[in-house]
Amino acid sequence: MTEFLENLWVIRVAYVVGGIALGFLVESVVVRRLHKLAERTRFKWDDLLIGSFRGVATTWLGAGGVYLALTVGDWNPLVVSWVGNVLMVLVLGIFVIAASRAVGGAVEVLSGRAGGVIKSPTLVVNLARIAVSILGLFIILQNLGIDITAAITAMGIGGIAVALALQDTLGNLFAGVQIILSKQVRQRDYIRLSTGEEGWVSDVKGRHTTIQTWPDGNLLTVPNSVLASSIVKNFSMPRSALWVTLEVGVSYASDLAHVEAVAMEVAKEVVGEVEGGVRGEDPIVRFHTFGDSSINFDVRMMVRDFRSQAPVKHEFVKRLHVRFNEEDIEIPFPIRTLVMKGVPTPRVVDE
C-alpha cells in the first residue's frame, strides 16, 4: 500500500482528478447557489456575470491539477514546456470566452435600457464578442512569444485578398452596421419596402435583416445592402400611433352637416371602445370630392399601431352602416347618366 501511494503516476493522476473534481464541485454547489441568489434580485449584472463565467472554475482548477502533476518527479523539459503552453492557452482561452459572453450580454442590457427595444441586434452583439476575442487572441499570442507585429502585418496583407473575395459579404456587413447606427430601422419597427414587402423587423445580422410579415407571420430575409439602398416607410417612427383613413360617399340629397355629425359620433365611439384606438386624439371628418354619384368624404382615426388599424376599420364600417340606415342617410350605388347629342329621342306611340 505504501509503495502504491509512493508511485509517482498515482500522485500525478490524483492531482489531475482532484483538480477536475474540485472544479465540478465548485460549479455544482457554489456557482449554482450564487446563480439562484442572483435570480432573486432585480439587478441584472449579477446574473450576467455568473452566467458568463460558468465553466471557468472547472477549467482553471483542472488546469491547476495538471500543473501540480508536472511538479511531481522529473519530466522532459520539452514536455513541461509544451504542456505549460497548452495550459496557458486553455486558462486564457476560457477567460476570453467568458469575457466575450459578458460583453455580449452587457451590450444587450445597455441597448435595452437606452433604446427600449427587446434586445440588441445580433450583429452588434457578435461584433462586440469578436472584438473581445481578437484582443484575447493577441494576448495569448504575446504570452506564447509570437511577434504580434508580424501577425498584424500578415493579417493586413491577407485582409486585402479576403476583402476582394468577400465583397458581397463585407458589403452586407457594413450595410448592417449602417442600418444600426442610423437608427432609421430598429427592431420591432413595422416597415414597408419600396418593393411592397412589409412586416416587423426581427433582427439585423451580419448578412441580412429578418422581417416577420403580417398577417401571415412568415419570416422574410432581406440582404442588408438591399435594405440600406431601398426606400423604406417606417410606421413606428417617430411614433407607433398612426392615422387610419376611410373614404365614404353619400347621396347628393343628404344633409352634409348631419352626415358629418353622425360620422364623427360613430368614429368617436369606435376609437373609445375598440381595442387599439387612441382616445386622446379626436377623429377628423373632411368632405373632399363631388363624385359621379356621391359626395365623398374621409374619416380619419388615430390607432395605436399598424396592427390595430384592421379591427378599427372593421368596427367602424359596421357601425356606420347601421347608423346611416337608422338616420336614412343613403350610400348610393354608382350611377352615371349619358347624354348622346344628335341622337333622336325615341317616341312612344299609343296604340
Side-chain angles (χ1 to χ4, degrees), residues 169-215:
T169 301
L170 293 177
N172 286 319
L173 175 62
F174 289 120
V177 174
Q178 177 187 352
I179 291 171
I180 295 172
L181 294 180
S182 66
K183 296 182 180 180
Q184 298 300 315
V185 175
R186 307 165 302 178
Q187 283 183 293
R188 304 310 303 164
D189 282 357
Y190 193 94
I191 65 173
R192 178 183 294 161
L193 305 181
S194 56
T195 53
E197 292 85 359
E198 61 183 65
W200 279 275
V201 178
S202 300
D203 199 358
V204 181
K205 300 183 180 180
R207 288 182 55 87
H208 56 265
T209 297
T210 53
I211 299 175
Q212 185 178 5
T213 59
W214 184 80

Side-chain angles (χ1 to χ4, degrees), residues 44 136 154 162 198 256 290:
K44 296 182 179 180
V162 173
E198 61 183 65
L256 297 186
F290 289 101

Side-chain angles (χ1 to χ4, degrees), residues 71-199:
T71 62
V72 178
D74 295 329
W75 290 86
N76 189 323
L78 292 177
V79 174
V80 174
S81 176
W82 183 81
V83 175
N85 289 334
V86 171
L87 292 178
M88 187 269 298
V89 172
L90 187 63
V91 169
L92 292 179
I94 192 65
F95 180 80
V96 170
I97 293 174
S100 65
R101 293 177 190 165
V103 170
V107 170
E108 291 188 1
V109 172
L110 293 175
S111 63
R113 288 182 178 179
V117 293
I118 296 176
K119 61 179 182 178
S120 180
T122 302
L123 177 59
V124 176
V125 177
N126 288 340
L127 288 177
R129 290 176 176 173
I130 290 173
V132 174
S133 300
I134 293 176
L135 179 61
L137 178 61
F138 286 157
I139 294 175
I140 293 174
L141 292 177
Q142 187 175 9
N143 281 273
L144 290 175
I146 300 176
D147 188 6
I148 300 178
T149 304
I152 294 175
T153 304
M155 290 176 60
I157 297 174
I160 299 175
V162 173
L164 293 175
L166 301 176
Q167 291 184 23
D168 293 339
T169 301
L170 293 177
N172 286 319
L173 175 62
F174 289 120
V177 174
Q178 177 187 352
I179 291 171
I180 295 172
L181 294 180
S182 66
K183 296 182 180 180
Q184 298 300 315
V185 175
R186 307 165 302 178
Q187 283 183 293
R188 304 310 303 164
D189 282 357
Y190 193 94
I191 65 173
R192 178 183 294 161
L193 305 181
S194 56
T195 53
E197 292 85 359
E198 61 183 65

Side-chain angles (χ1 to χ4, degrees), residues 15 25 40 214 286 332:
Y15 278 137
L25 181 63
R40 298 176 184 176
W214 184 80
R286 292 290 184 267

Side-chain angles (χ1 to χ4, degrees), residues 255-268:
D255 182 354
L256 297 186
H258 182 54
V259 171
E260 181 180 3
V262 172
M264 179 66 73
E265 182 181 348
V266 174
K268 288 183 178 180

